[in-house]
Amino acid sequence: MIFEDLPTTPTSEELIDKAFSRAARAGKAKGGLEAQQSMLQTAANIISDNLENVVTAWPDFEYEDDVHPFYYELADAIVDVDKLRQSLSEVMWASRKAREIHEEYQPKLRKTDVDTARKHRKQAFARLADIVEQVDDELIYINKSRNDLRDLPEINPDEPTIVVAGYPNVGKSSFVNDVTNARGETASYPFTTRGIGLGHFERDHIRYQIVDTPGLLDRPPAERNEIESQAVSAIEHLADCMLVMIDPSAECGYPLASQLELRDSIAAQFEEVPVLTIANKVDRKDVWDESLTDELDADYTMSVETGEDVETVLEAAVEAVDYEPKLPFEG
């Protein structure tokens, strides 16, 4: 996952302490003017290199090759990508300024006496410290963003993906567990009340992801907060097929009419991908509301409880995805 290897970002105090303590050791190894020059070079290099490394460790959010739209939207829902990019830009500015200060003062330490050189070196140190302190808030925000993003479980946006939606208790997680190795496998995201169910299965040597998103696609859009809505936008970049699961028996606790309204809103939002309506709990037809059968207009029926037609639904989802792997020689 693109965020999992991000290094810890130092605070301004930690970086200044590191740079100046290393500079002091470098100065002790030499004498006279050479000691002052070595101290300045060491401090400036450590500050500039560390700040630059903070920036280059992050992917470039401007390029889709670095950050898939799914992860871009996901990151933006969690940390505010624009603010993060601005913070990274400020830190890179500070890295360049540290090098400029070194280039400005180093000539002053060559053809002079030691006391004057020491005075110039101290002035340079003060300016270096000031530059780092100016970006302290940015360093703190970058590290917070790193902590918020690095432990996100991996969902591969390049794998064909089936997303299961519908109200709670309609059988979504049972379906995901039944058709995949997902039992106990959940992905914790900051904007979900429960872990996202994530599983995998193979057909014709192709690996498929199947995802259940409790807390996001199990309620009407009007009930989602801004972060949740943006997370749903991220899922739009992920889904190759939507399975909207319906419980016609309404034993889930939600009237069939409400479930169908949610289905229609999901279909409207995910209009770029196939959306299949799946009526679960066909073994409970004795409590179906027959007056709404025509309105239900299910593409497929099944019972996760008994296993009836579960495989049929999965095969229909695979067919709807219509995934063709890219061959190496196609470029």
Side-chain angles (χ1 to χ4, degrees):
M1 206 269 287
I2 60 173
F3 302 120
E4 65 183 352
D5 294 326
L6 292 170
T8 301
T9 302
T11 64
S12 60
E13 183 178 0
E14 289 170 341
L15 182 52
I16 291 168
D17 287 347
K18 176 182 178 180
F20 290 171
S21 62
R22 294 255 188 105
R25 289 200 298 272
K28 288 180 181 179
K30 302 180 184 298
L33 293 178
E34 191 177 0
Q36 302 304 312
Q37 294 170 12
S38 180
M39 290 175 70
L40 175 57
Q41 181 170 349
T42 299
N45 285 348
I46 288 175
I47 289 172
S48 182
D49 290 347
N50 276 263
L51 292 177
E52 183 176 355
N53 290 340
V54 165
V55 177
T56 57
W58 285 83
D60 191 333
F61 286 97
E62 289 189 2
Y63 296 99
E64 190 171 317
D65 287 346
D66 272 7
V67 183
H68 188 280
F70 166 69
Y71 276 121
Y72 184 101
E73 295 278 358
L74 208 57
D76 201 29
I78 298 169
V79 303
D80 187 345
V81 167
D82 285 343
K83 182 177 179 180
L84 174 59
R85 289 172 60 188
Q86 182 61 35
S87 294
L88 291 169
S89 177
E90 293 293 331
V91 169
M92 184 58 83
W93 166 84
S95 172
R96 290 195 295 266
K97 288 297 293 184
R99 294 207 180 278
E100 290 174 8
I101 290 170
H102 172 254
E103 292 170 1
E104 177 184 345
Y105 277 87
Q106 197 65 280
K108 298 179 181 180
L109 306 183
R110 291 184 184 133
K111 297 181 180 180
T112 186
D113 59 86
V114 174
D115 287 340
T116 303
R118 184 180 295 110
K119 177 181 177 182
H120 287 313
R121 191 263 304 162
K122 287 182 177 180
Q123 289 175 348
F125 271 25
R127 289 182 59 186
L128 287 170
D130 180 63
I131 289 296
V132 177
E133 288 169 352
Q134 285 185 49
V135 294
D136 185 53
D137 288 346
E138 284 73 19
L139 293 170
I140 290 172
Y141 187 74
I142 291 168
N143 198 53
K144 179 182 181 301
S145 299
R146 173 255 191 193
N147 292 338
D148 288 342
L149 294 175
R150 71 185 299 269
D151 292 329
L152 289 179
E154 182 172 6
I155 294 179
N156 187 347
D158 295 321
E159 286 186 349
T161 302
I162 299 162
V163 176
V164 184
Y167 271 109
N169 305 317
V170 297
K172 302 191 304 294
S173 60
S174 296
F175 174 75
V176 172
N177 288 335
D178 191 61
V179 302
T180 72
N181 59 348
R183 195 169 301 280
E185 182 181 354
T186 59
S188 296
Y189 286 90
F191 38 72
T192 57
T193 54
R194 292 178 289 138
I196 286 177
L198 173 65
H200 303 87
F201 66 93
E202 286 194 4
R203 285 292 185 279
D204 299 324
H205 307 292
I206 298 172
R207 188 173 188 256
Y208 291 80
Q209 290 177 136
I210 185 165
V211 179
D212 173 26
T213 57
L216 291 177
L217 293 171
D218 59 2
R219 51 196 160 124
E223 296 180 13
R224 300 174 195 146
N225 62 36
E226 184 177 349
I227 292 176
E228 290 167 340
S229 296
Q230 189 155 354
V232 173
S233 295
I235 294 170
E236 287 184 58
H237 296 290
L238 182 70
D240 297 300
C241 173
M242 296 289 301
L243 299 183
V244 182
M245 205 164 292
I246 303 292
D247 173 11
S249 73
E251 290 182 326
C252 62
Y254 298 90
L256 181 54
S258 297
Q259 296 183 62
L260 295 177
E261 286 178 8
L262 179 63
R263 184 270 312 272
D264 293 342
S265 69
I266 291 171
Q269 182 157 10
F270 288 81
E271 60 182 356
E272 299 297 323
V273 300
V275 178
L276 302 180
T277 300
I278 311 299
N280 188 28
K281 305 185 183 181
V282 294
D283 55 309
R284 300 292 290 134
K285 280 190 176 181
D286 55 311
V287 291
W288 278 26
D289 185 346
E290 293 295 339
S291 67
L292 291 175
T293 300
D294 291 338
E295 188 178 348
L296 175 58
D297 192 25
D299 295 290
Y300 296 91
T301 61
M302 70 176 184
S303 170
V304 178
E305 181 70 24
T306 66
E308 180 182 348
D309 289 327
V310 169
E311 191 64 24
T312 299
V313 169
L314 190 63
E315 291 298 332
V318 169
E319 184 176 345
V321 169
D322 193 25
Y323 178 77
E324 292 188 12
K326 190 175 183 179
L327 300 176
F329 54 80
E330 289 180 334

